[in-house]
Amino acid sequence: MPSSSGPSIDTITEGGRVTQVGEGQEAEESAPSVMTFGAPTVGEILAERYELVEHINDDSAGRQVWRGVDVILRRPVAVVLRHPGGDSATEMLQAAVAASRVIHPNLVGVYDAIDEAERAYVVREWVDGRSLRELAADGPLDPARATSIGHSVASALAAVHATGMVHGNVHPGTVMISDEGRVVLADARTDGADSQENDIRAVGGVLYFALTGHWPHGEAPLLGATAGHGRAAIPDAVRDANGVLAAPRQIRAGVPAYLDDLTMDLLDRQITPASSDVLAAELSRLEVPADEQYLEQAGPLRFTSDGEDERTPLSPAGGRKVVLGIAGLLVVALVGLLIGVTTLGGGDDDPGGQAAGPTSPAASGDAPAPAPAAIRTLKLGPDQVRVIDPDSKARDEFDGIQKVVDGDQDEAWQTDSYYNAKFSNLKAGMGILIDLKQPQTVKSVQASLSDRGATGQLFVGTADQPSTSAGDEALVKAYKSNQIGPTLTNHGAQMVFDGFEADQKYQYLLFWVTDLPEVDAGKFKLIVQEITVQVQ
């Protein structure tokens, strides 16, 4: 963890061994002369204390990561070793010494930092568990767990930033989740190229990755130092043709709007983020057990701040949206105070001779605002969906389309098998036309798919066409100029399209697929379990 001045490190040479120690540490006068050369080996004991048990992997920075044992304290340790030494080793040791000064339950403990001239190594806490990268490989996390992990990372950064230092290496490979559920941040760096603001934006990246399984900060790093099972690249985030990042709610269903907004605000370079301690406090407020349903319902209040005097802690630069529960409490308190003053000031002693009471809309001249219509899921019938297949003369993939609206996830419509993801170059794509029977205020369309890897788009139109190849071709041509939201590739169970204009109504929707997921070795097929449409 770098600071502006860098940590102070003393080096003590004893009979050829150079030991790097931090402030408050003393070298042992009686330590025997030890000099080790060459690559480490299983069973070797470093510094007469740390036995190397298993080589875990080599990380993208060229360091070896070992599982070891502290033979004195009889506890497992992780040994991060660089061979040979040099400037990179000095940087690693400086980061370790700085990290050892910050004690926090969400930071990996650093036990030792040693330079042996030919090689250098850091000894730190061993975490039995998996990295966030590995955890999300099984699929995106539920919003409650993603919030909890984000809170832990923000809390760790708040402790680091309170010392004036920077972590500089926050990504899904350095976020570890122990088997007991503890979340810890590991492997700070001291190259001086990062900032506290970038640390905070990285929390947005961690939230985005936990919710979607993709990394939003462009080309992702190769990870391995903390993962424990080799190096692997994190997939880049879903983007449209202009490179605009798709929000988590556009990629999967079930992400609360306030968590989606907070994540995207942290990633938006136009908005100055809150400090790490304020962010940690807000995520703590949002962190609730996954089985408590109000997580989806009771998001924090939002305020739009356009003026310099209206900034809030979570939007110090006056961003487009903020998430601030503390402000909500202040509003409630002020309303209660006003009600109390009104109650105490009314009654028989009113100077005007009128009892105080609520002002009716008729008396004030203002009509009550109509309540917004509730969002509901349409019940679609089998006559409201049909296959669109303009490039096929056989028309042999139409059977079973009614299964996408039968409410049964175990029943699905599927295409034939193809031998590459592009319909074997036999056709440009296939789709499902949805007829809502009348224009509706559409909020979202969700397609539940059985496999990951499909690429889909949603188009809208004003009319149907005859169910023929020529009719389908004319329909696709007419609809393709009216796309809703970005093109999506599903990395979970659902594709969600929610880019509808609030002041427009739609009747015809076309779910169009161009790439198929691989369902077997060399075989590609689209399997659609259900399509749901939400309207207001």
Side-chain angles (χ1 to χ4, degrees):
M1 290 174 227
S3 65
S4 57
S5 61
S8 171
I9 300 178
D10 303 320
T11 56
I12 299 174
T13 304
E14 299 172 344
R17 184 181 73 173
V18 180
T19 302
Q20 204 151 351
V21 297
E23 293 178 355
Q25 293 178 299
E26 299 291 339
E28 296 181 9
E29 294 288 339
S30 58
S33 298
V34 176
M35 176 65 81
T36 55
F37 297 95
T41 58
V42 173
E44 181 179 358
I45 297 179
L46 305 178
E48 299 185 327
R49 178 166 186 170
Y50 307 111
E51 181 180 1
L52 300 179
V53 176
E54 178 187 7
H55 179 211
I56 301 300
N57 59 25
D58 293 348
D59 70 9
S60 59
R63 304 176 304 180
Q64 295 186 22
V65 182
W66 287 74
R67 178 170 63 87
V69 175
D70 183 336
V71 297
I72 295 177
L73 297 180
R74 304 289 183 183
R75 65 179 176 184
V77 294
V79 180
V80 182
L81 186 145
R82 184 176 286 283
H83 168 74
D87 292 342
S88 296
T90 301
E91 178 186 300
M92 177 185 74
L93 295 168
Q94 288 175 336
V97 171
S100 69
R101 298 171 182 166
V102 185
I103 308 299
H104 191 275
N106 297 122
L107 286 171
V108 166
V110 177
Y111 303 147
D112 214 340
I114 298 174
D115 188 352
E116 293 183 342
E118 290 297 319
R119 61 184 180 182
Y121 45 91
V122 172
V123 182
R124 61 167 172 79
E125 176 185 4
W126 174 264
V127 179
D128 277 319
R130 297 192 290 174
S131 69
L132 177 58
R133 176 182 66 80
E134 292 179 301
L135 195 65
D138 299 332
L141 308 187
D142 65 79
R145 193 169 193 191
T147 303
S148 177
I149 290 173
H151 170 226
S152 297
V153 174
S155 297
L157 290 176
V160 173
H161 293 174
T163 68
M165 295 189 292
V166 174
H167 186 277
N169 197 24
V170 180
H171 56 67
T174 57
V175 177
M176 301 293 296
I177 297 91
S178 74
D179 294 338
E180 294 77 29
R182 176 182 166 224
V183 179
V184 291
L185 187 57
D187 292 345
R189 69 183 187 201
T190 61
D191 57 13
D194 245 308
S195 64
Q196 291 189 1
E197 178 177 323
N198 285 345
D199 275 353
I200 296 165
R201 293 199 187 282
V203 178
V206 166
L207 287 171
Y208 190 97
F209 180 81
L211 292 169
T212 69
H214 281 66
W215 186 241
H217 291 301
E219 184 177 351
L222 287 173
L223 306 180
T226 55
H229 297 288
R231 295 162 61 179
I234 302 178
D236 189 14
V238 179
R239 304 174 193 275
D240 66 14
N242 297 319
V244 177
L245 186 69
R249 281 166 65 85
Q250 293 177 292
I251 299 172
R252 59 170 291 196
V255 178
Y258 59 84
L259 185 57
D260 187 271
D261 286 334
L262 175 59
T263 300
M264 296 303 289
D265 284 353
L266 288 170
L267 298 174
D268 190 342
R269 291 284 174 180
Q270 305 276 336
I271 298 177
T272 303
S275 61
S276 53
D277 57 340
V278 172
L279 177 60
E282 179 61 11
L283 287 169
S284 175
R285 194 184 69 80
L286 296 178
E287 184 181 358
V288 296
D291 57 353
E292 294 190 23
Q293 296 300 315
Y294 66 84
L295 174 69
E296 181 71 28
Q297 303 164 359
L301 296 179
R302 280 182 176 74
F303 301 86
T304 299
S305 177
D306 297 322
E308 290 294 321
D309 296 332
E310 297 178 356
R311 295 176 181 173
T312 63
L314 275 175
S315 184
R320 64 177 185 267
K321 304 172 203 166
V322 298
V323 184
L324 188 60
I326 296 173
L329 295 176
L330 292 175
V331 170
V332 172
L334 287 172
V335 171
L337 179 60
L338 290 174
I339 292 174
V341 169
T342 301
T343 303
L344 291 173
D348 297 336
D349 296 329
D350 184 13
Q354 296 180 353
T359 302
S360 68
S364 65
D366 295 329
I375 297 176
R376 57 192 176 88
T377 299
L378 280 183
K379 175 61 177 175
L380 299 174
D383 63 331
Q384 292 181 260
V385 291
R386 74 176 183 89
V387 176
I388 302 296
D389 192 6
D391 295 324
S392 175
K393 304 300 182 184
R395 322 283 286 172
D396 58 355
E397 296 175 80
F398 286 24
D399 292 343
I401 188 58
Q402 72 279 358
K403 295 177 182 178
V404 304
V405 292
D406 63 359
D408 186 353
Q409 291 280 348
D410 295 329
E411 294 289 332
W413 169 78
Q414 55 187 305
T415 67
D416 292 339
S417 293
Y418 294 82
Y419 289 93
N420 64 41
K422 296 284 188 183
F423 289 96
S424 300
N425 298 319
L426 298 174
K427 58 184 71 174
M430 288 182 67
I432 299 173
L433 181 68
I434 307 163
D435 180 1
L436 304 182
K437 295 299 186 183
Q438 63 182 17
Q440 305 263 13
T441 302
V442 181
K443 302 301 290 183
S444 69
V445 175
Q446 175 178 313
S448 298
L449 310 178
S450 63
D451 297 279
R452 305 179 185 183
T455 298
Q457 300 164 296
L458 190 74
F459 303 111
V460 296
T462 57
D464 198 354
Q465 296 282 348
S467 182
T468 63
S469 295
D472 287 357
E473 183 177 358
L475 184 144
V476 172
K477 183 177 180 180
Y479 279 44
K480 276 199 170 182
S481 61
N482 299 302
Q483 183 171 348
I484 300 296
T487 299
L488 301 180
T489 298
N490 72 306
H491 303 284
Q494 291 93 20
M495 280 186 185
V496 180
F497 301 90
D498 58 2
F500 294 89
E501 297 291 338
D503 57 351
Q504 293 192 28
K505 293 189 176 183
Y506 308 85
Q507 178 174 343
Y508 296 100
L509 313 171
L510 175 60
F511 173 53
W512 184 251
V513 175
T514 56
D515 289 3
L516 304 174
E518 187 171 18
V519 296
D520 202 354
K523 291 185 178 181
F524 297 79
K525 177 189 293 188
L526 178 69
I527 302 175
V528 183
Q529 296 167 314
E530 203 72 20
I531 290 180
T532 55
V533 179
Q534 288 191 323
V535 299
Q536 191 171 42

